[in-house]
């Protein structure tokens, strides 16, 4: 079929909205009519080159990251089911998880679906079923799809491993947000940081991921939540999600946290700034006390290896520094659970979307994100007449 999608032809160029050809789903795949897609910072990492492997590495792995359809935070309705798909049928409402979960690999089998072995193909751009493409440009080139799903298009085809069925009474535009940002932020607090009742938690970077880390920490029972963002516009909103205190930098937060905790410092810190940087690690580690844990959720440039870290404090204060992907969650369990919490009124989703855009305006949406105007921007698809 013919449809439209936002393609990145190479790094440091704008998203190009074009007509594409989408093949029917093959074995183990489904076609989804998408409602819209969240504008997560991770797609911008593709555009800036932060998430692009050097050409020699791509050649060694036998992949080409461009051209690629972006987007990895979507939901929609199944419109076609390929051979061999079980448990999904036309008309089902689904969230697309940004990491597939095969259910069979060692990680899936031990309750770590966010670390599914199929995650190895997140940036490879092809279907995880047979490593070929269903998306093609007008001139016949195979197109990659971000995170094996490519939600910056009105329709997509992906493996059933990326698809989580949800109840039909959940609004699809809200459900889309749980495909990445909500689960990642909420899980960074509840699973990766293991926030416990009464703790003091710091969240550095209060965008689409950080706001969800704040509400995750609040739900887990944190007593004090210090939201830190260089953009002061985010401070009031952070309080809406559960922050008890705000600061404009990690340096500014240090004396505040020292006073708030009588010198004990925070129990947990979660880093969710837009572009991960080794520079901020030590300053954030200084905000946590003995036995404290710092979770690094931000994505840094792919070749970044330099970190500022006091090894002395790491050992003597027995601090922990851990990474986290997809909130260390199990998407098949946590996505329906988070949506239940939304329906019960305990999880905020309506408040996350600052502004919606048409697919044609996707570059405007990303500029708004870079300018700090949005918690989450979202492109919504116009299926009128489709
Ligand atoms: N680990 C994962 O599974 C995962 C999943 C999704 C996104 N991410 C990553 O999480 C990060 C955040 O994504 P997002 O969509 O929330 O981005 P965003 O652009 O919406 O928010 C980032 C926020 O960080 C703030 N910020 C930037 N530098 C700062 C600093 N030095 N100190 C304090 N605040 C600072 C910005 O003002 C902004 O409010 C990105 O790196 C993204 O790629 C990781
Ligand atoms: Zn994301
Ligand atoms: Zn798996």
């Amino acid at each position: 079929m013919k449809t439209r999608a936002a393609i990145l032809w190479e790094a440091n160029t704008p998203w190009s909205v074009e007509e594409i050809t989408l093949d029917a789903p093959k074995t183990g795949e489904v076609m989804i009519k998408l409602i819209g897609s969240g504008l997560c910072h991770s797609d911008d990492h593709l555009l800036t080159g932060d998430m692009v492997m050097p050409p020699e590495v791509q050649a060694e792995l036998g992949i080409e990251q461009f051209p690629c359809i972006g987007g990895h935070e979507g939901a929609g309705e199944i419109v076609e089911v390929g051979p061999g798909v079980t448990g999904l049928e036309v008309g089902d409402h689904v969230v697309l998880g940004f990491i597939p979960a095969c259910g069979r690999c060692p990680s899936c089998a031990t309750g770590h679906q966010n670390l599914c072995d199929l995650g190895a193909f997140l940036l490879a751009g092809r279907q995880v079923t047979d490593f070929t493409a269903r998306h093609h440009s007008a001139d016949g080139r195979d197109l990659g799809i971000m995170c094996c799903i490519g939600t910056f298009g009105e329709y997509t085809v992906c493996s059933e491993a990326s698809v989580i069925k949800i109840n039909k009474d959940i609004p699809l535009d809200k459900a889309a947000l749980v495909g990445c940002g909500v689960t990642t932020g909420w899980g960074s607090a509840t699973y990766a940081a293991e926030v416990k009742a009464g703790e003091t938690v710091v969240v550095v970077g209060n965008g689409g991921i950080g706001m969800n880390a704040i509400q995750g920490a609040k739900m887990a029972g944190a007593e004090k939540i210090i939201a830190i963002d260089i953009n002061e516009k985010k401070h009031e909103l952070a309080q809406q999600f559960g922050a008890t205190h705000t600061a404009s930098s990690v340096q500014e937060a240090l004396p505040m946290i020292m006073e708030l905790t009588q010198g004990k410092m925070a129990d947990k810190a979660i880093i969710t700034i837009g572009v991960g940087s080794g520079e901020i690690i030590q300053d954030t580690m200084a905000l946590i006390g003995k036995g404290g844990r710092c979770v690094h959720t931000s994505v840094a440039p792919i070749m970044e290896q330099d970190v500022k870290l006091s090894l002395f404090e790491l050992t003597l204060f027995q601090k922990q520094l851990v990474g986290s992907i997809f909130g260390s969650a199990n998407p098949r369990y946590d996505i329906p659970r988070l949506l239940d919490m939304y329906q019960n009124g305990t999880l905020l989703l309506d408040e996350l979307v600052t502004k919606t855009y048409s697919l044609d305006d996707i570059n405007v949406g990303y500029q708004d994100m870079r300018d700090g105007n949005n918690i989450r921007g979202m492109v919504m698809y116009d299926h009128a007449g489709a």
Side-chain angles (χ1 to χ4, degrees), residues 39-45 51 72-73 98-99 180-181 184-185 188 203-211 228-232 234 247-251 271-277 280 296-300 323-328 369-372 374-377:
L39 301 179
C40 179
H41 204 118
S42 296
D43 296 287
D44 203 48
H45 285 303
M51 223 188 236
H72 64 279
E73 192 176 271
F98 88 85
I99 299 179
C180 174
T184 299
S188 293
V203 179
V204 188
N206 309 148
I209 312 296
M211 291 298 183
I228 303 175
D229 203 296
I230 46 173
N231 178 351
E232 296 193 356
K234 305 282 172 101
S248 297
S249 68
V250 279
Q251 294 80 7
I271 300 178
T272 47
I273 63 173
V275 182
S277 148
I280 206 164
H296 193 259
T297 299
S298 296
V299 172
S324 178
I325 185 157
F326 212 167
S328 309
M369 183 201 75
R370 290 178 211 117
D371 292 343
N374 292 346
I375 301 181
R376 208 36 139 210

Side-chain angles (χ1 to χ4, degrees), residues 65-96:
Q65 280 191 264
F66 297 117
C68 179
I69 298 172
H72 64 279
E73 192 176 271
E77 182 182 332
I78 302 223
V79 290
E80 201 176 332
V81 172
V85 171
T86 52
L88 291 170
E89 57 187 30
V90 170
D92 280 349
H93 286 194
V94 294
V95 170
L96 287 82

Side-chain angles (χ1 to χ4, degrees), residues 20-316:
I20 64 159
T21 303
L22 184 61
D23 299 340
K26 292 195 176 173
T27 302
E29 299 167 0
V30 292
M31 183 184 282
I32 299 156
K33 179 181 173 184
L34 291 156
I35 188 93
S37 177
L39 301 179
C40 179
H41 204 118
S42 296
D43 296 287
D44 203 48
H45 285 303
L46 206 57
L47 188 146
T48 60
D50 282 349
M51 223 188 236
V52 181
M53 293 172 233
E56 61 278 13
V57 176
Q58 291 190 42
E60 201 180 311
L61 296 173
I63 62 169
E64 284 178 14
Q65 280 191 264
F66 297 117
C68 179
I69 298 172
H72 64 279
E73 192 176 271
E77 182 182 332
I78 302 223
V79 290
E80 201 176 332
V81 172
V85 171
T86 52
L88 291 170
E89 57 187 30
V90 170
D92 280 349
H93 286 194
V94 294
V95 170
L96 287 82
F98 88 85
I99 299 179
C102 74
R104 289 181 278 273
C105 73
S107 296
C108 283
T110 52
H112 304 95
Q113 287 180 353
N114 66 315
L115 298 176
C116 176
D117 284 355
L118 291 178
F121 306 104
L122 280 190
L123 297 177
R126 295 296 180 260
Q127 298 291 330
V128 291
T129 47
D130 68 358
F131 308 106
T132 62
R134 303 293 162 264
H135 304 66
H136 316 279
S137 65
D139 62 359
R141 272 190 74 174
D142 286 349
L143 296 169
I145 42 173
M146 175 72 163
C147 294
C148 318
I149 51 181
T151 57
F152 288 166
E154 293 159 342
Y155 290 83
T156 194
V157 167
C158 67
S159 163
E160 60 180 328
S162 300
V163 172
I164 296 123
K165 187 172 162 176
I166 59 167
N167 290 338
K168 284 192 179 159
D169 57 356
I170 298 163
L172 279 172
D173 57 333
K174 302 301 178 304
L177 301 164
V178 182
C180 174
V182 175
T183 309
T184 299
W186 182 87
S188 293
T190 57
Y191 290 131
E194 293 184 290
V195 172
K196 295 189 179 57
E199 287 191 339
T200 298
V201 179
V202 180
V203 179
V204 188
N206 309 148
I209 312 296
M211 291 298 183
N212 287 296
I214 292 170
Q215 66 171 334
K218 183 184 173 193
M219 259 189 235
E223 183 75 11
K224 299 187 188 86
I225 302 173
I226 298 96
I228 303 175
D229 203 296
I230 46 173
N231 178 351
E232 296 193 356
K233 277 189 275 183
K234 305 282 172 101
H235 293 182
E236 201 183 317
L237 295 161
Q239 286 166 346
Q240 198 181 338
F241 282 89
T244 54
H245 300 78
T246 56
S248 297
S249 68
V250 279
Q251 294 80 7
E252 183 190 305
L254 186 96
M256 179 200 281
I257 296 169
M258 199 169 281
E259 197 184 322
L260 281 171
T261 61
Q262 290 89 40
K264 292 196 289 289
M265 304 309 284
D267 299 289
K268 309 283 165 61
I270 302 161
I271 300 178
T272 47
I273 63 173
V275 182
S277 148
E279 285 293 310
I280 206 164
I281 303 284
Q282 178 52 31
D283 288 340
T284 306
M285 292 289 279
L287 302 181
I288 57 173
K290 288 185 280 188
R293 183 184 296 178
C294 174
V295 175
H296 193 259
T297 299
S298 296
V299 172
I302 203 161
M303 302 308 281
E304 178 74 57
Q305 297 195 350
D306 296 331
V307 178
K308 242 181 121 190
L309 182 67
S310 163
L311 299 175
F312 187 80
E313 277 181 28
L314 189 73
T315 307
L316 275 74

Side-chain angles (χ1 to χ4, degrees), residues 330-350:
N330 284 289
R332 287 198 188 286
Y333 170 64
D334 286 299
I335 285 179
R337 199 157 77 101
L338 283 160
L339 290 170
D340 271 353
M341 292 188 229
Y342 166 67
Q343 287 193 303
N344 293 332
T346 42
L347 183 81
L348 303 181
L349 293 183
D350 300 339

Side-chain angles (χ1 to χ4, degrees), residues 334-382:
D334 286 299
I335 285 179
R337 199 157 77 101
L338 283 160
L339 290 170
D340 271 353
M341 292 188 229
Y342 166 67
Q343 287 193 303
N344 293 332
T346 42
L347 183 81
L348 303 181
L349 293 183
D350 300 339
E351 294 75 1
L352 283 173
V353 178
T354 315
K355 198 168 171 190
T356 59
Y357 306 84
S358 67
L359 183 60
D360 288 310
D361 281 339
I362 187 166
N363 291 298
V364 180
Y366 267 111
Q367 195 52 47
D368 276 343
M369 183 201 75
R370 290 178 211 117
D371 292 343
N373 296 331
N374 292 346
I375 301 181
R376 208 36 139 210
M378 205 174 168
V379 286
M380 296 297 295
Y381 304 133
D382 177 12

